[in-house]
Amino acid sequence: MFDVLSLVLVYTFVFGSLYLGMALGFTIISGVLRIFHLAYGALFLITAYGTWFFWKDAGMQFELAILLAFVLVAIFAIIVYRFVMKPFIELEDYLLAALISVFIIVEEVINYLYPEVVGVYLPTAIVKETVKVGAANVPGQLLITAFVSIAMVVIYLIFFVKTKQGLIMRAISQDIFASKLVGVNFDRMYATAMIVASIPPGVIILLISPVWALNPFIGWSLFTYAILVTVLGGLGNLKGSIMAAYIIGFIHAVVGFAIDPRMMLLTSLVVVILVLSFRPKGLARAETIW
Amino acid sequence: MLKVSRLTKRFGGIIAVNDVSFEVKKGEIVGLIGPNGAGKSTLINLISGFYMPDKGSIEFNGKEITKSKMYERAKMGIARTFQNPRLVSNMTALMNVIYAVLGSERGKKISLVEAYGEAMYYLDLFGLLKKRDIVVSDLPIYELRLLELARALALQPKLLLIDEAMAGLNPAEAESVSRLINRIREEFDLTIIWVEHVLKILMKSVERIIVMHYGKLLADGFPEEVVKKPEVVEAYVGEERV
Ligand SMILES: Nc1ncnc2c1ncn2[C@@H]1O[C@H](COP(=O)(O)OP(=O)(O)O)[C@@H](O)[C@H]1O
Ligand SMILES: [Mg+2]
């Protein structure tokens, strides 16, 4: 009994932190731009496969390849903002259709270049052993990823609370009109938010790829977690997303170890729908990023 | 400083601002009056960039700004208040002003701590220091009007557009707002266009009055002379009948 309890606790932490890391960028985009970024899943893919491209195909040093992959994903974020979001920002249907198309195009291009049989593998493992925590044997790499997730959230919170840009983004997330009124170039802040938000998914996928093998369609499953967490949290509020991530982590830990791992996603989806039918705005009440 | 030429703005069949031209010199304080629906707010909205005109042009400090965006005009030094205050309602009074400090041209150069200090200074100027941590949605209309002025001032504007600073205030509050506006005008060397629905308090505070009626410019001149003009009297009498 205690074993199950400690297993659930440890995995609540691990899953919750991972999901939070996956959702961090999505929450920021939902909160600051007020856009449901349906191409978010592409960010995972571009960083992972970009690293592979620069490393294997272009023959660069591995660290440099990672760096360039982040540059690439930032450029992608800017292009999506400038040529998809900006022109369609008032036309929600078009915007969503365009974003999902972008995601699918990225996915198909990657699937064409690196189909699953290519066996893309990134040597990003920091710890190869499993670590015993209580009764749980957790892959050390997942623990590392969990801690990095939390570290990223802390860094972003400091950014939102302690820096000028962060404060401006928070204000934009509450009231875009007031921003225009006080002379804030919201266009540039939106673009900045897009770049800021494109870093966490890349970090997460690089860290978990040794554990969860890469394939060209992995963007979807990671994106699903990001959506679940962000929607349950209140679509663009970090406090809400933090709560939501650990609630879903808890559900997955319980269902995964006590019931049936194949029921994890379904159960959390049902819970999210139930919560939303009672609280349509999600867990957080505030309409602001923090 | 400000030159408005043949400005026109339509809303469907209504011509809210109809072929309006005037100039405002640096340091002037101009009252803009007219009955309800005369087009005063629309004119302010056009000058601040909230609406784009259908026709005509706007020049600010010798620069054509007709097509500039609202935030660009704010950065150039055109600040405004609203008939219905438009602050960030779930942020505190202080944050609203800090936000304006950061948005202004010098916002890039100063630190968050300096911005904080400046914001406190502007709040103090309007006697709002004690209210700094109160969320805007909990403030009464009088304080909202003061806070909007504080926020506008925090942009360090050259031209301040005030849209009905007195509406919804009791006479004592209106008097004190009027005194504050005159004080900041002198202290900060401002040029002001001040819209008011009622004449009385404006008369004492401004050097020049522009009257609008049905979107058109009806009169423009010294307050005492303008209010005696028959067409102005008629416009206001017309309103009283409504
Ligand atoms: N956004 C708008 N849409 C449609 N009509 C408007 C709009 N804004 C103002 N109007 C109309 O334009 C006219 C002038 O309004 P306004 O400028 O608010 O007058 P004032 O501020 O002098 O009372 C009114 O007839 C008003 O109904
Ligand atoms: Mg008005």
Side-chain angles (χ1 to χ4, degrees):
Chain A
M1 185 61 214
F2 268 120
D3 285 0
V4 176
L5 192 66
S6 75
L7 216 60
V8 165
L9 277 180
V10 170
Y11 272 96
T12 297
F13 169 77
V14 172
F15 288 152
S17 308
L18 291 183
Y19 300 159
L20 182 57
M22 292 167 195
L24 180 55
F26 192 68
T27 299
I28 290 170
I29 294 168
S30 308
V32 177
L33 283 81
R34 298 279 163 218
I35 284 174
F36 201 86
H37 187 7
L38 282 176
Y40 182 74
L43 300 173
F44 296 99
L45 296 176
I46 291 173
T47 323
Y49 285 89
T51 303
W52 178 263
F53 168 80
F54 290 120
W55 180 47
K56 278 292 174 190
D57 295 349
M60 291 176 190
Q61 212 187 332
F62 189 58
E63 289 77 9
L64 180 64
I66 291 180
L67 192 71
L68 286 178
F70 277 104
V71 173
L72 184 68
V73 84
I75 292 171
F76 172 77
I78 295 292
I79 290 175
V80 167
Y81 173 65
R82 177 65 189 77
F83 294 103
V84 182
M85 292 177 169
K86 202 175 159 188
F88 292 131
I89 203 151
E90 305 288 341
L91 305 163
E92 195 154 16
D93 301 353
Y94 288 98
L95 177 62
L96 295 180
L99 287 173
I100 194 101
S101 310
V102 168
F103 185 12
I104 293 169
I105 290 168
V106 168
E107 210 172 45
E108 287 303 321
V109 168
I110 286 172
N111 188 39
Y112 174 74
L113 296 172
Y114 309 105
E116 196 156 3
V117 291
V118 170
V120 170
Y121 173 79
L122 300 174
T124 44
I126 297 167
V127 184
K128 292 212 170 67
E129 299 76 25
T130 55
V131 180
K132 196 161 170 56
V133 191
N137 281 304
V138 189
Q141 184 70 13
L142 281 191
L143 275 181
I144 298 258
T145 313
F147 284 117
V148 170
S149 277
I150 293 172
M152 279 196 296
V153 172
V154 170
I155 290 169
Y156 277 67
L157 283 183
I158 292 171
F159 169 73
F160 280 119
V161 175
K162 295 278 183 202
T163 71
K164 285 196 282 180
Q165 299 239 320
L167 193 139
I168 291 173
M169 276 188 202
R170 262 160 68 209
I172 284 183
S173 83
Q174 302 195 4
D175 190 339
I176 179 68
F177 180 73
S179 313
K180 298 176 187 175
L181 212 56
V182 298
V184 168
N185 184 342
F186 63 97
D187 210 29
R188 205 164 56 209
M189 294 311 291
Y190 276 178
T192 310
M194 284 291 286
I195 295 176
V196 164
S198 69
I199 299 169
V203 171
I204 295 291
I205 192 147
L206 289 183
L207 287 175
I208 58 165
S209 71
V211 189
W212 295 358
L214 279 180
N215 71 67
F217 300 102
I218 197 172
W220 275 112
S221 45
L222 303 181
F223 184 34
T224 309
Y225 294 124
I227 292 180
L228 275 180
V229 166
T230 304
V231 168
L232 178 61
L235 213 54
N237 177 276
L238 274 170
K239 286 181 191 121
S241 285
I242 293 171
M243 272 190 280
Y246 288 101
I247 289 171
I248 293 172
F250 174 72
I251 294 167
H252 284 192
V254 171
V255 176
F257 291 104
I259 304 167
D260 180 351
R262 286 185 310 179
M263 295 285 286
M264 283 161 60
L265 199 56
L266 183 62
T267 316
S268 55
L269 196 61
V270 170
V271 170
V272 169
I273 290 170
L274 276 178
V275 172
L276 289 183
S277 57
F278 290 105
R279 283 180 86 121
K281 288 196 162 174
L283 295 173
R285 299 246 276 306
E287 289 195 352
T288 153
I289 185 90
W290 181 251
Chain B
M1 146 160 286
L2 180 75
K3 187 174 172 196
V4 169
S5 313
R6 313 210 62 175
L7 217 53
T8 300
K9 178 73 185 174
R10 293 164 190 275
F11 294 108
I14 301 167
I15 308 181
V17 169
N18 191 353
D19 202 20
V20 167
S21 306
F22 64 91
E23 269 184 63
V24 176
K25 288 198 217 48
K26 188 174 178 327
E28 257 190 315
I29 177 163
V30 181
L32 178 57
I33 61 162
N36 245 329
K40 307 180 296 292
S41 294
T42 305
L43 186 58
I44 296 293
N45 286 333
L46 289 169
I47 298 171
S48 63
F50 185 51
Y51 293 150
M52 291 293 151
D54 297 320
K55 263 190 230 145
S57 68
I58 307 166
E59 250 178 58
F60 180 62
N61 280 335
K63 232 180 108 191
E64 160 106 31
I65 58 160
T66 318
K67 297 218 160 63
S68 304
K69 298 200 178 76
M70 188 157 73
Y71 83 84
E72 291 167 334
R73 298 188 203 191
K75 268 207 165 45
M76 285 175 201
I78 301 181
R80 66 169 296 179
T81 69
F82 285 83
Q83 200 170 333
N84 306 305
R86 303 272 302 248
L87 295 140
V88 186
S89 58
N90 46 4
M91 288 204 310
T92 61
L94 177 63
M95 283 307 246
N96 268 278
V97 183
I98 290 183
Y99 195 28
V101 175
L102 292 178
S104 70
E105 199 46 76
R106 71 198 184 289
K108 287 194 203 89
K109 292 167 213 135
I110 61 177
S111 73
L112 197 52
V113 177
E114 286 169 302
Y116 178 91
E118 273 197 34
M120 297 287 270
Y121 165 76
Y122 290 114
L123 284 177
D124 192 24
L125 210 62
F126 290 90
L128 291 171
L129 214 45
K130 283 202 190 115
K131 312 280 176 170
R132 63 180 178 273
D133 292 326
I134 297 180
V135 174
V136 163
S137 52
D138 294 336
L139 290 173
I141 181 71
Y142 172 59
E143 278 154 5
L144 290 178
R145 295 222 180 275
L146 294 180
L147 185 57
E148 263 210 323
L149 284 169
R151 175 179 68 177
L153 211 55
L155 284 169
Q156 294 193 350
K158 300 182 186 85
L159 175 65
L160 176 59
L161 310 168
I162 302 171
D163 195 354
E164 306 225 359
M166 315 289 191
L169 304 187
N170 68 39
E173 291 168 339
E175 182 63 40
S176 109
V177 167
S178 149
R179 230 178 306 120
L180 278 166
I181 290 174
N182 278 292
R183 183 175 148 206
I184 59 171
R185 179 199 166 206
E186 276 162 32
E187 222 162 285
F188 296 92
D189 201 18
L190 290 173
T191 308
I192 297 180
I193 300 179
W194 184 356
V195 170
E196 217 53 70
H197 173 71
V198 281
L199 257 172
K200 227 164 61 194
I201 304 175
L202 257 197
M203 288 283 292
K204 290 185 291 181
S205 303
V206 302
E207 296 148 358
R208 174 182 160 197
I209 282 187
I210 293 177
V211 187
M212 282 183 79
H213 192 36
Y214 291 129
K216 280 195 179 281
L217 209 150
L218 197 64
D220 182 349
F222 292 112
E224 309 78 42
E225 288 169 17
V226 162
V227 293
K228 285 192 201 111
K229 288 194 179 178
E231 59 267 34
V232 174
V233 175
E234 202 178 315
Y236 268 89
V237 171
E239 203 207 11
E240 252 141 53
R241 256 191 271 133
V242 173

